[in-house]
Amino acid sequence: MADNRVRIFDTTLRDGEQAPGFSLKADEKLQLARALDALGVDIIEAGFPIASPADAEAVRLIATEVRRPVVACLARCRRGDVERAIWAIEPAAHPRIHTFIATSDLHLTKKLNMTREACLAAAVETVRLARQHTADVEFSAEDALRSDVDFLCRVIDAVVRAGATTINLPDTVGYSTPDEIGAFFRTVRSRVSVPDGVVFSAHCHDDLGLAVANTLAAVDAGVRQVECTVNGIGERAGNAALEEIVMAFRVRADRLPYTTGIETRNIFPTSQLLGALTGQGVQVNKAIVGRNAFAHEAGIHQDGILKDRRTYEIMRAEDVGVPWDPLVLGKHSGRHAVQRRCTDLGLTLTGDELVAVYRALMTIADERKVVSDADVVAVVQSVRTEARSRVDRFDTPVARA
Ligand code: MN
């Protein structure tokens, strides 16, 4: 790969899916994995097989069906985890085992009750075991940003010698700042001796709203894999948002001269699919994919946009798959127009959904003459939420491991 090509490691189905309110069934995960394939991600982290039998089955299903990208799955540095991971990704065309252990003294003493030496030994042994089954092994040093850098470098040197091909250094708790993480990756890279093929990776959380800024700083410091999720979903405040990283590279190529394999026109449809499957939409002002991201209501802005879109738009809505032309849906519109608009917005409706959506939109049109894209998206979401809550009443939720 060219030196400025950044690999997109999507963990929507692992870090994202394990966040409260985002759990998905196996067929839904497969549907999303196919969308991520069409989006052009390089690596799909499909799950954490030891977490539950259902998670393991879903990883195996995706590994069987989705052939182009690397399919990865997570395993702690424990034999049982790795054996489960091996089983789950065994059918993959391009399997990766992603193994991790915490390296910070805080996690080692308080959480794992483990010495540094035991941690190092477990990491090396696990990477060796994983390498017996696939040539593509990623090692993550959990809480890397708060780890002792001398010890961290020892661990990296040792796991690379044991066969790890990607070294991921996560800011697990979203504590870092851009300057700090940039300096951190420069220091670590200068102090370890790793062969050329080994890729450094960043995994940033958004607890301070800095996940994307930190990710970009890490790339500037030589990282060539970024771990991210669609809509920025993930543990707590979430992970770095895939769409924001990719569009920062695209829009500010003058400052960020990096490329990805992402087909940007599939960004919005993938975001919508995730929202529909989880029942969790994004905030209206969310960058790139929020329903106001390309909306202009203030008169001065509308005037500018109509004269030249560049006055208030730094990227074109069409380039991220958001239909730009404001199609006027009114009370004279028919069901076909509604269905077409939904399709343009990346929302595929069932027959029953179309009936309910059409009825709700016509009520809005009676009051307000014109129906906006935002109305369409909101109505589809509320129709689906209602349908979901009807199903949930007959469906006892099952506790997850
Ligand atoms: Mn994480």
Side-chain angles (χ1 to χ4, degrees), residues 115-390:
T115 63
R116 285 184 180 180
E117 296 314 310
C119 163
L120 181 69
V124 168
E125 193 184 327
T126 307
V127 168
R128 275 207 197 105
L129 174 62
R131 268 306 297 259
Q132 289 168 13
H133 297 273
T134 169
D136 188 346
V137 174
E138 173 168 337
F139 174 79
S140 284
E142 190 186 7
D143 207 20
L145 264 289
R146 296 192 298 175
S147 300
D148 176 78
V149 76
D150 294 326
F151 175 60
L152 181 62
C153 289
R154 274 182 65 208
V155 173
I156 295 169
D157 276 326
V159 295
V160 168
R161 276 198 302 275
T165 46
T166 300
I167 298 296
N168 180 46
L169 302 178
D171 181 18
T172 302
V173 290
Y175 183 69
S176 193
T177 66
D179 280 357
E180 183 184 37
I181 200 169
F184 167 80
F185 272 105
R186 284 191 179 89
T187 301
V188 169
R189 287 184 62 230
S190 72
R191 288 182 48 181
V192 298
S193 48
V194 303
D196 275 350
V198 172
V199 174
F200 279 89
S201 167
H203 176 113
C204 297
H205 276 272
D206 210 33
D207 298 71
L208 292 173
L210 293 172
V212 171
N214 286 340
T215 301
L216 299 181
V219 170
D220 192 48
V223 158
R224 288 296 178 268
Q225 172 180 288
V226 296
E227 303 199 354
C228 51
T229 58
V230 175
N231 297 346
I233 70 170
E235 288 282 1
R236 303 182 314 280
N239 288 68
L242 179 153
E243 61 277 8
E244 296 177 22
I245 297 167
V246 169
M247 292 315 290
F249 291 159
R250 176 69 69 94
V251 173
R252 294 311 306 271
D254 56 328
R255 313 278 309 186
L256 302 162
Y258 309 105
T259 62
T260 69
I262 297 297
E263 171 48 74
T264 62
R265 280 169 299 180
N266 288 342
I267 284 177
F268 186 69
T270 310
S271 164
Q272 290 289 303
L273 175 65
L274 175 63
L277 291 176
T278 58
Q280 308 263 15
V282 297
Q283 78 218 42
V284 294
N285 61 320
K286 168 76 178 66
I288 319 293
V289 294
R291 77 170 184 241
N292 285 356
F294 296 94
H296 307 278
E297 191 167 333
I300 292 170
H301 288 219
Q302 286 185 338
D303 180 52
I305 285 290
L306 290 172
K307 286 171 177 156
D308 188 328
R309 290 174 64 183
R310 290 171 301 177
T311 53
Y312 290 101
E313 286 182 357
I314 61 165
M315 66 191 113
R316 300 189 317 158
E318 309 89 287
D319 291 344
V320 294
V322 175
W324 189 75
D325 279 341
L327 177 128
V328 180
L329 280 181
K331 61 180 172 183
H332 303 296
S333 306
R335 252 178 234 182
H336 287 297
V338 170
Q339 186 167 34
R340 173 63 178 276
R341 195 68 195 138
C342 289
T343 307
D344 287 347
L345 288 166
L347 303 161
T348 311
L349 300 186
T350 65
D352 286 350
E353 283 173 340
L354 178 59
V355 171
V357 167
Y358 180 75
R359 201 174 292 146
L361 287 176
M362 289 310 110
T363 308
I364 294 173
D366 273 339
E367 288 166 14
R368 281 196 261 139
K369 313 289 181 217
V370 169
V371 175
S372 68
D373 284 355
D375 293 325
V376 176
V377 171
V379 163
V380 170
Q381 271 164 3
S382 83
V383 162
R384 282 178 173 163
T385 306
E386 242 170 65
R388 237 170 206 266
S389 68
R390 273 200 305 276

